[in-house]
Amino acid sequence: MSSVSGDFNQRLEPRPPRERVTDNSFKWAARIFALSILAMLIWIAAIVAIRAVPAIAEFGLGFWVNSSWNPPREEYGVLPAIYGTIVSSIIALGISVPIGLGVAIFLSEDYLPPKVQRIFVFLVELLAAVPSVVYGLWGIFVLIPFLKEITPLKGPGMLPAALVLAVMVLPIIAAISRDAISSVPKDLRQAAVGLGATRWEAIILVILPAASSGIIGGIMLALGRALGETMAATMLIGNANKVNLSIFEPSNTIASLLANQFAEASGLQVAALMYAALILFAMTLVVNILAQMLVKRLQRI
Amino acid sequence: MTLDIHNSPSSRFDPTTLKRNPKSGRTLFGLIMTGVAGLFMVLAIVPLFLILSYVIIQGIGQLQPRIFTELPPPPLVEGGGFGNAILGTILMVGIGALISVPVGVMAAIYLSEFSNGKIAEWTRFATNVLSGVPSIIVGVFAYAVFVLTTKSYSAWAGGFALAVLMLPIIIRTTDEALKLVPQEVRQASVGLGANDYQTVLRVVLPAAVPAIITGVTLAVARAAGETAPLLFTALFTQFWPNWKEFLMEPTASLSVLAYNFAIVPFENQRELAFAAAFILVLLVLLTSIISRLATARRTY
C-alpha cells in the first residue's frame, strides 16, 4: 500500500462529461428497449383494432351471433368459430388437467431417482417444443385414421383437434403445477405427515390447496394457449363454419378461420377477419393476464 | 376423506408398531393414487414417442441431397426438394433474430441491471403476456403492418412476425442468465473504477454469453417451427427467394411447406412434407438436448 499512498492525497476527479453521457445514454437505451415490450403489446392491439373498425361499424355485435361466413355476399359472423374455439379448448383442458396434474405430482414427489426424474421432466418439456405443424401432420395421418376405426368419426372433426390440443397444452399445466407444488414450504408437508397423514392425504388436503393459485394459473395459461393454437386446429378440425354439437363432426375455431382465409381475403373480408382476430386477442389477453396474476403469487409464498 | 385420526377405527392400526396397516383403506388409497399418477405420467409421454417415431420413420427415407438443393416439384413429377424453403426459413429466422436479439438483450439488461422495481415488474409482466399472445394474432399484426402497407407478402413481414415471437424467449433467458452472474463480479468491476456501462458490457454480459446463446438457439428453433404467423405474411412460393426484388415477394418456409403439402393428394409432395417435418423435429431435438447439456454444466 505504501507505494501508492501518495496518490491518496489527490482529489478524486468526477468522471469526464463524455463518459457520463455514454453511461446515461446506455441506460436510457436499455430502458427504452424494455418499455418497448409494453409498447409492442399496445401496438398489436391498436393495429388489429383499427383494421377491424370497418367490420365493427358494419356488423356491430351481430357479428358475434351470426353464423354465416359468406365473402361473395359480404355476410360475416363468428358464432361457429367462437363455439368451436371454446368447446375445443374445454375438451382439451378436461383431458389435460387431470393428466398434467398427475404428471406434476409424480415429478415433484420422490417416486423416481433424480436422474430418471430429470429425463421425464425433459421429455415433458420436449412435448411443448415439437412444432404444432408436426402435431397436425401426425393427427392427419395417424390419429384421424385410428379414431375412424373406433368412433363414429368420419374425417377431420372436433374430437381429433381437441385431443391434439390436449397433448399440446399438457406440458404447460405439468410444468407450472410442478413449480407451484415444489414451492410449497416443506414444513407444511412435514406437519401433515407428523399429524399422521399418508403421503396422498398430505398431497390432496395440504399441498394442492396451498399450491392452488399457481395450479389454476397454469391451467389458465394452458387455456390461453388452447384458445389461440392454430395449426393443429386448422389441420384437424375440418373447418366447417356451422355449430355442430357432435364432437365427431367438423367444426371451426377463430384461429383456423384466420389461418384459412387471410391469404385470399380482400376488402371488407379483411376487416371481418381483423374483427375476429380482435375477439380472439381479447379472449386470450384476459385469460393470460389473469393467469399471470395467479402465477405471480407463487413467488410470494 | 378426513385427517380425523382420533376417531378413525383404531383396529386399522397395530398399536405396537408405527407401520401402516397394508390393508387399511388409507394405504390402499395412496397406492391407487400413486398408480394413477404413474399411469398419467406414461400417458403424457406416449404421444411424444408416437409422434417422434412416426415423423422420423416417415421422414428419414426422404433425406437425399437433392432435397436441399432443388425446388419443389409440380404434382406427380418425381424428384425435387425444398432448397428454397430451407433458405427461406433461414432468411426469415435470421431477420427475426437480427431484430429480436438486440432488443431482447437490451431489455433484459435493463431488467436485471438498471431497473427499479415498478418498471421491471411491468416489463416482466408484459413479456409474459406477450409470450401468451397467439402466434396467429402476431401474424395478423404483421400482415396489417407489412402486407397491407407494402401491398406484398414478403420475407420481411414473416421475419418481423417471428421477431415478435422470439422476443419474450430471448428476454427471459437473458434475464435469467444475467441474474446468475454473481454480484461480487459487478462490485469488483465498479471497485476498479468502471462505470455501469463498462461493467455491463465488458464484465457482466461476456460472463452470461454462453447462457444467452443457448436461449437464442432455443428461440431460433422455436421460430423455425412456427407456421401460423407465416401463412399470410410470407405466404409460400415454388421459387427461390428473389434478391433483385429485395425479398419483397412471397417466400417459402419449411413449416408452411409441411402444412401445404400435407393435405395434397399427391404422393411426391406429401413425401416432402414429411421430410420437412423431420428436419424441424430434428432441429428441436438437437437444440433441446444441447441446451440441456449447456445449462447443466453452467457455473460461473
Side-chain angles (χ1 to χ4, degrees), chain B residues 232-295:
Chain B
F232 41 81
T233 52
L235 215 64
F236 187 73
T237 171
Q238 308 274 1
F239 307 108
W240 291 101
N242 190 340
W243 304 99
K244 284 196 196 107
E245 297 291 328
F246 200 58
L247 302 178
M248 284 305 295
E249 285 193 338
T251 308
S253 57
L254 280 174
S255 55
V256 176
L257 179 128
Y259 170 63
N260 285 347
F261 284 7
I263 41 185
V264 296
F266 311 111
E267 190 61 36
N268 63 329
Q269 293 190 337
R270 257 193 309 202
E271 283 171 1
L272 289 181
F274 280 110
F278 175 73
I279 294 177
L280 290 178
V281 162
L282 208 62
L283 187 69
V284 165
L285 274 177
L286 286 178
T287 49
S288 300
I289 293 170
I290 291 171
S291 77
R292 227 340 109 112
L293 295 177
T295 44

Side-chain angles (χ1 to χ4, degrees), chain B:
Chain B
M1 195 179 65
T2 63
L3 262 180
D4 196 0
I5 289 155
H6 291 290
N7 294 332
S8 65
S10 54
S11 60
R12 284 185 193 169
F13 294 96
D14 179 351
T16 58
T17 165
L18 279 173
K19 261 197 180 149
R20 268 187 208 293
N21 179 352
K23 282 181 200 141
S24 95
R26 298 170 65 204
T27 317
L28 284 178
F29 174 76
L31 275 176
I32 290 168
M33 288 307 284
T34 303
V36 169
L39 182 73
F40 282 177
M41 182 70 244
V42 175
L43 264 180
I45 298 298
V46 164
L48 181 72
F49 282 110
L50 286 178
I51 289 166
L52 289 187
S53 58
Y54 180 72
V55 171
I56 290 170
I57 290 167
Q58 294 287 321
I60 202 160
Q62 323 292 338
L63 275 204
Q64 290 148 329
R66 64 174 162 83
I67 289 255
F68 300 94
T69 54
E70 292 180 20
L71 289 174
L76 303 172
V77 175
E78 275 307 308
F82 43 65
N84 62 335
I86 295 177
L87 186 60
T89 295
I90 294 174
L91 269 173
M92 288 190 281
V93 172
I95 293 170
L98 278 181
I99 302 171
S100 62
V101 170
V103 177
V105 169
M106 281 297 271
I109 286 177
Y110 179 76
L111 287 183
S112 83
E113 306 295 317
F114 303 135
S115 64
N116 51 352
K118 267 280 176 272
I119 297 182
E121 207 174 300
W122 275 103
T123 308
R124 289 208 176 92
F125 193 76
T127 307
N128 288 337
V129 173
L130 187 64
S131 76
V133 173
S135 60
I136 187 98
I137 298 292
V138 174
V140 169
F141 167 62
Y143 174 89
V145 169
F146 275 83
V147 180
L148 286 181
T149 47
T150 63
K151 305 260 182 288
S152 169
Y153 300 98
S154 65
W156 299 106
F160 175 71
L162 294 184
V164 177
L165 292 166
M166 291 166 83
L167 204 50
I169 309 178
I170 291 173
I171 294 178
R172 250 188 269 165
T173 48
T174 308
D175 192 16
E176 294 296 322
L178 292 175
K179 275 190 207 153
L180 283 179
V181 178
Q183 201 58 29
E184 288 86 346
V185 176
R186 296 184 183 84
Q187 289 162 351
S189 168
V190 172
L192 286 171
N195 57 26
D196 293 344
Y197 160 75
Q198 290 158 330
T199 303
V200 169
L201 280 193
R202 301 215 185 133
V203 180
V204 180
L205 202 57
V209 156
I212 294 173
I213 289 176
T214 311
V216 171
T217 317
L218 280 179
V220 161
R222 275 304 153 82
E226 283 287 356
T227 316
L230 299 181
L231 286 178
F232 41 81
T233 52
L235 215 64
F236 187 73
T237 171
Q238 308 274 1
F239 307 108
W240 291 101
N242 190 340
W243 304 99
K244 284 196 196 107
E245 297 291 328
F246 200 58
L247 302 178
M248 284 305 295
E249 285 193 338
T251 308
S253 57
L254 280 174
S255 55
V256 176
L257 179 128
Y259 170 63
N260 285 347
F261 284 7
I263 41 185
V264 296
F266 311 111
E267 190 61 36
N268 63 329
Q269 293 190 337
R270 257 193 309 202
E271 283 171 1
L272 289 181
F274 280 110
F278 175 73
I279 294 177
L280 290 178
V281 162
L282 208 62
L283 187 69
V284 165
L285 274 177
L286 286 178
T287 49
S288 300
I289 293 170
I290 291 171
S291 77
R292 227 340 109 112
L293 295 177
T295 44
R297 225 179 284 146
R298 186 169 57 198
T299 44
Y300 180 73

Side-chain angles (χ1 to χ4, degrees), chain A residues 117-285:
Chain A
Q117 190 169 318
R118 238 173 287 148
I119 292 174
F120 275 106
V121 171
F122 173 69
L123 289 177
V124 174
E125 272 174 28
L126 207 55
L127 210 52
V130 173
S132 61
V133 67
V134 172
Y135 279 110
L137 213 59
W138 180 79
I140 289 177
F141 291 106
V142 180
L143 186 65
I144 290 180
F146 172 72
L147 289 175
K148 272 192 199 164
E149 298 278 314
I150 57 166
T151 68
L153 190 78
K154 292 182 279 295
M158 178 70 89
L159 180 65
L163 283 178
V164 168
L165 281 183
V167 176
M168 296 182 73
V169 300
L170 189 139
I172 303 172
I173 299 176
I176 294 176
S177 302
R178 186 167 164 266
D179 280 351
I181 289 170
S182 44
S183 67
V184 173
K186 290 274 172 288
D187 314 6
L188 273 182
R189 171 200 302 264
Q190 286 162 358
V193 173
L195 286 170
T198 65
R199 187 209 289 253
W200 274 93
E201 284 164 356
I203 290 172
I204 293 175
L205 295 172
V206 178
I207 296 175
L208 290 186
S212 59
S213 79
I215 292 172
I216 294 168
I219 292 172
M220 294 194 69
L221 278 181
L223 174 63
R225 182 63 58 86
L227 293 172
E229 171 48 45
T230 309
M231 297 320 295
T234 308
M235 293 167 89
L236 302 176
I237 206 164
N239 303 301
N241 213 39
K242 58 180 184 182
V243 178
N244 275 320
L245 293 180
S246 162
I247 58 165
F248 302 113
E249 294 291 326
S251 186
N252 205 0
T253 69
I254 299 180
S256 54
L257 182 75
L258 298 172
N260 274 316
Q261 305 226 343
F262 244 115
E264 283 121 36
S266 61
L268 192 60
Q269 192 183 358
V270 172
L273 288 168
M274 289 286 176
Y275 192 178
L278 189 66
I279 294 172
L280 176 64
F281 188 42
M283 280 161 71
T284 52
L285 208 60

